[in-house]
Amino acid sequence: MAQVETDDSKMNRTADQDIGEAVDDAVLRRFLGHHLRRASNFVQSDLARSLKDVDLRMITMSVLTVIVEHRGLRQSQLADALQIERPNLVSILDELEDRKLVERTRVPTDRRAYALTPTAAGEALAAKASQAVRAHEDRVFARLSASERSSLQDLLMKVYPGAEG
Amino acid sequence: MAQVETDDSKMNRTADQDIGEAVDDAVLRRFLGHHLRRASNFVQSDLARSLKDVDLRMITMSVLTVIVEHRGLRQSQLADALQIERPNLVSILDELEDRKLVERTRVPTDRRAYALTPTAAGEALAAKASQAVRAHEDRVFARLSASERSSLQDLLMKVYPGAEG
DNA sequence: TATTGTTATACTCTATAACTATA
DNA sequence: TATAGTTATAGAGTATAACAATA
């Protein structure tokens, strides 16, 4: 595959580069992981932009969404579900609480813990965010047919552990 | 799809959560982008681990690989090819130069620029890294057949712009 | 004036140790 | 002792402005 080169051919290419040849990352593109990363970065960038309309970041959207879906859950459960470290959750919840989207209330049966519940505004914003994400997905996966999207999801779920498949 | 709930049903679920119900991110899993991110993160984590064997990070591996493939290129070309900001390249190249893997030499025809060339050690390490990446890909995509990997690549290349398809 | 490489800086994301209050 | 939430902190990764040398 890789062709053996003499020192001469190498030096010629060096000279060519000086003149201003096109440079690409073709070697890296041989790797499937490269395309996976590129696609993921592209989609995430677009999602981040979309969520700005509802003044949420990806992580705050995820946190708010899970709280809406599992009202009353604790911070440790939330951290487990989203695979984020407990300390990093604190400022996220502070922000959502300051914005009156989420409430922390003491659990009577375990006074160490907080139960997390969305406010009405929080539920409304989660719904708006969900809509924004759906619009974003339609846009960003527009070049894939419904069956291609389904195949892509199946293939991706075969790659990482934890996704049943 | 989403079922309308009464306040009562919500409060019941709140109580259930207190007892310690399973919490998941099922809502988020409805989104294709979620699986794309999860798969990408999983693969990148494994790649980062694999590259530790050759004492490279993902970015230093990419930089070294492109320099080997395009010997004599300039920093600005490299930054363009890898889509990283020029300032962030400096410390990466400092590291590779300190480790005698890459050399910066003045371009005679444009004394502002540096031509980047790999040393023999740099080429050797790039080859080892490439092998490590191939082993990593075989491991991490083990559950996909050759044709599934090919489909996955085709689908991913349809998602992000710049990948011809 | 514009460009190459550089410095300084800042912001996000992520990870860990150690504290407090409860259990 | 162990756990829930918190604080402080540190390390990546990434982005921008501004500078010196050169074109």
Side-chain angles (χ1 to χ4, degrees), chain A residues 2 13 77 87 118 121 138 154:
Chain A
R13 275 215 272 133
Q77 294 176 304
D138 281 342
D154 290 346

Side-chain angles (χ1 to χ4, degrees), chain B residues 66-145:
Chain B
V66 172
I67 292 173
V68 166
E69 205 70 6
H70 298 276
R71 39 171 51 233
L73 87 170
R74 298 172 183 190
Q75 292 184 205
S76 54
Q77 293 176 305
L78 180 54
D80 284 353
L82 291 176
Q83 306 198 116
I84 61 182
E85 299 303 318
R86 270 61 89 219
N88 296 331
L89 202 48
V90 177
S91 63
I92 295 165
L93 289 170
D94 286 347
E95 180 193 329
L96 292 175
E97 210 177 22
D98 287 347
R99 291 173 61 187
K100 313 289 184 195
L101 299 170
V102 158
E103 280 171 2
R104 278 191 262 225
T105 56
R106 284 273 180 210
V107 175
T109 56
D110 184 347
R111 291 187 35 74
R112 294 172 303 182
Y114 285 108
L116 302 171
T117 48
T119 63
E123 294 204 71
L125 192 66
K128 273 190 73 176
S130 180
Q131 237 185 318
V133 177
R134 261 177 269 126
H136 141 80
E137 293 232 328
D138 281 342
R139 186 179 343 115
V140 91
F141 297 119
R143 295 180 63 197
L144 301 189
S145 67

Side-chain angles (χ1 to χ4, degrees), chain B:
Chain B
M1 238 182 210
Q3 195 179 330
V4 175
E5 300 180 302
T6 64
D7 281 348
D8 277 344
S9 74
K10 280 178 185 173
M11 294 191 68
N12 284 339
R13 276 216 271 134
T14 301
D16 287 343
Q17 224 72 258
D18 293 347
I19 299 169
E21 210 175 62
V23 168
D24 59 47
D25 57 353
V27 224
L28 303 175
R29 278 191 250 127
R30 291 197 206 111
F31 297 112
L32 186 43
H34 176 80
H35 299 284
L36 185 55
R37 204 189 87 236
R38 280 289 190 97
S40 179
N41 287 350
F42 171 72
V43 170
Q44 284 190 244
S45 295
D46 188 273
L47 176 56
R49 242 175 287 126
S50 302
L51 287 175
K52 278 190 180 169
D53 295 343
V54 288
D55 198 20
L56 288 172
R57 290 171 296 149
M58 219 148 18
I59 187 64
T60 52
M61 182 274 285
S62 298
V63 163
L64 179 59
T65 300
V66 172
I67 292 173
V68 166
E69 205 70 6
H70 298 276
R71 39 171 51 233
L73 87 170
R74 298 172 183 190
Q75 292 184 205
S76 54
Q77 293 176 305
L78 180 54
D80 284 353
L82 291 176
Q83 306 198 116
I84 61 182
E85 299 303 318
R86 270 61 89 219
N88 296 331
L89 202 48
V90 177
S91 63
I92 295 165
L93 289 170
D94 286 347
E95 180 193 329
L96 292 175
E97 210 177 22
D98 287 347
R99 291 173 61 187
K100 313 289 184 195
L101 299 170
V102 158
E103 280 171 2
R104 278 191 262 225
T105 56
R106 284 273 180 210
V107 175
T109 56
D110 184 347
R111 291 187 35 74
R112 294 172 303 182
Y114 285 108
L116 302 171
T117 48
T119 63
E123 294 204 71
L125 192 66
K128 273 190 73 176
S130 180
Q131 237 185 318
V133 177
R134 261 177 269 126
H136 141 80
E137 293 232 328
D138 281 342
R139 186 179 343 115
V140 91
F141 297 119
R143 295 180 63 197
L144 301 189
S145 67
S147 84
E148 283 177 322
R149 293 186 206 190
S150 170
S151 312
L152 179 55
Q153 174 158 335
D154 290 345
L155 291 168
L156 291 171
M157 288 176 71
K158 272 191 159 184
V159 171
Y160 70 95
E164 81 286 353

